[in-house]
Amino acid sequence: MRSTDDYLIFYHLIEQGSFSKAADLVGLTKSVVSKRITRLEQDLGVQLLYRTTRKLTLTEAGEVFFAHAREVYYSVQNAEQAMSGLGESLTGTIRITVPTISGELLLPQAIAEFSAKYPDIHIDMDLDNRFVDIVAEGFDLAIRTGALPDSSFIARRLVEAHWVICGAPEYFARQGVPKVPAELTQHNCLAYSYQETGAKEWLFKDDDKPYTLKVDGNFTTNNASALRRAALFGQGLVYVPRVLVAEDLQSGALIEVLQEQVGKRLGIYAIYPYTRHQPMKVKLFIEHLYQCYQKHEAKFSS
């Protein structure tokens, strides 16, 4: 196995842009760093750098190796921080931004359990359906579903959420039960506007190939709880995350249809910036969220 030092030396060389600056950081001489890089290229059988008197430029192979070197560097940093953070005072505030639907479901329970363990940590949760810039607006992390930001962020997958189509027994008594997705055009389909496919574009699968079907109805909202209530009142059918209606399905207040054809499954992630100085309280909170979502995974999936 290749020495971690090779990755770290290469990382610092590219980050600093010169052999002398990298040598100062790693505690070696400039000539030793140069020899280590030359030997590295020989061992790998590829050229990693184009060297000129003014700058260093990565080759295609160098780009690949640097990406791995950066991961090694952050892993080492995180390991050191984890050890030093064991004596860190677990106080202060964690600011989190989440979509409304997440804030109304499992998160309150997860936060309550976390607060019982760490009563001196204050959780500031902001419910917002827009795509918040967590760095610019000063948040420690965000809960995101589906689409993820660029690689300057780290994404911790919490759980996979399956979506369902369901309605109240009295609705089906009046309108009948759809047997195939195409029959939904004859039904009152209530729309949840906060979804990337569009409020009235419902996702299905045919031989595991996804496709969308345009539906219509007399109610659209960006509030998932209001949509659930409308379904419970028998107004129409809804296409929502299973976790939103898990208890209703279990009690029979709502009935699931087209289970085999529904094609929407989205990952739920904790998103946070790449940083060398992430507080221990934030790390503990993210790990707690993961454990809580995993414990309730059955509510999210069929």
Side-chain angles (χ1 to χ4, degrees):
M1 182 178 293
R2 180 162 302 283
S3 170
T4 303
D5 289 345
D6 287 339
Y7 292 92
L8 296 178
I9 290 171
F10 191 77
Y11 170 80
H12 287 301
L13 174 62
I14 302 307
E15 282 291 295
Q16 298 301 316
S18 78
F19 281 90
S20 57
K21 291 180 180 179
D24 290 339
L25 273 176
V26 298
L28 299 172
T29 64
K30 178 181 176 181
S31 62
V32 169
V33 171
S34 179
K35 289 177 181 177
R36 290 286 294 268
I37 297 300
T38 299
R39 189 178 68 188
L40 176 62
E41 290 179 317
Q42 292 172 346
D43 290 347
L44 294 174
V46 294
Q47 184 177 357
L48 300 175
L49 296 168
Y50 297 118
R51 302 166 174 82
T52 66
T53 55
R54 293 190 175 185
K55 68 175 183 176
L56 302 173
T57 304
L58 288 169
T59 65
E60 183 178 359
E63 293 276 4
V64 174
F65 191 82
F66 177 68
H68 291 290
R70 181 172 54 195
E71 292 297 324
V72 170
Y73 172 76
Y74 280 121
S75 294
V76 171
Q77 289 291 308
N78 288 338
E80 292 177 352
Q81 291 163 26
M83 296 307 296
S84 64
L86 291 176
E88 183 181 318
S89 176
L90 297 176
T91 60
T93 299
I94 298 174
R95 296 193 67 221
I96 175 174
T97 174
V98 304
T100 302
I101 187 171
S102 295
E104 294 176 346
L105 294 173
L106 188 58
L107 270 178
Q109 177 183 347
I111 291 171
E113 293 173 353
F114 184 81
S115 295
K117 292 181 181 179
Y118 307 102
D120 294 328
I121 299 177
H122 178 81
I123 305 297
D124 183 351
M125 183 173 71
D126 184 70
L127 301 183
D128 198 329
N129 284 342
R130 65 189 176 90
F131 204 80
V132 174
D133 185 332
I134 59 178
V135 174
E137 299 188 34
F139 288 98
D140 294 294
L141 69 148
I143 301 298
R144 296 264 166 83
T145 300
L148 299 179
D150 61 37
S151 58
S152 61
F153 291 86
I154 300 174
R156 177 76 184 273
R157 185 174 175 274
L158 303 176
V159 74
E160 183 178 70
H162 296 194
W163 287 50
V164 299
I165 297 175
C166 57
E170 54 266 39
Y171 173 82
F172 293 121
R174 294 194 316 268
Q175 302 295 333
V177 178
K179 303 298 183 183
V180 295
E183 293 180 7
L184 291 175
T185 57
Q186 306 302 315
H187 285 263
N188 192 33
C189 297
L190 314 182
Y192 180 43
S193 59
Y194 183 60
Q195 52 182 320
E196 72 285 351
T197 55
K200 297 183 178 181
E201 298 287 336
W202 288 9
L203 186 66
F204 294 93
K205 59 184 179 181
D206 181 14
D207 295 328
D208 292 326
K209 294 181 180 179
Y211 69 95
T212 58
L213 177 71
K214 187 171 180 60
V215 298
D216 201 7
N218 60 10
F219 182 56
T220 301
T221 179
N222 65 352
N223 185 279
S225 294
L227 198 67
R228 167 182 169 267
R229 295 291 294 173
L232 288 169
F233 286 130
Q235 185 175 349
L237 302 181
V238 294
Y239 192 164
V240 292
R242 173 176 288 277
V243 64
L244 178 69
V245 293
E247 295 180 0
D248 303 316
L249 294 174
Q250 188 173 12
S251 69
L254 292 174
I255 298 173
E256 184 178 0
V257 296
L258 302 173
Q259 183 175 5
E260 298 301 320
Q261 291 98 332
V262 170
K264 193 165 188 176
R265 298 183 178 186
L266 298 175
I268 299 177
Y269 300 86
I271 305 294
Y272 52 101
Y274 250 125
T275 174
R276 285 181 277 174
H277 306 291
Q278 188 182 63
M280 178 57 65
K281 63 176 178 283
V282 176
K283 293 181 182 179
L284 288 172
F285 183 59
I286 292 171
E287 180 60 29
H288 174 79
L289 289 180
Y290 173 78
Q291 296 298 335
C292 187
Y293 273 79
Q294 287 296 302
K295 184 172 65 176
H296 295 278
E297 185 179 14
K299 294 181 179 179
F300 290 85
S301 59
S302 53

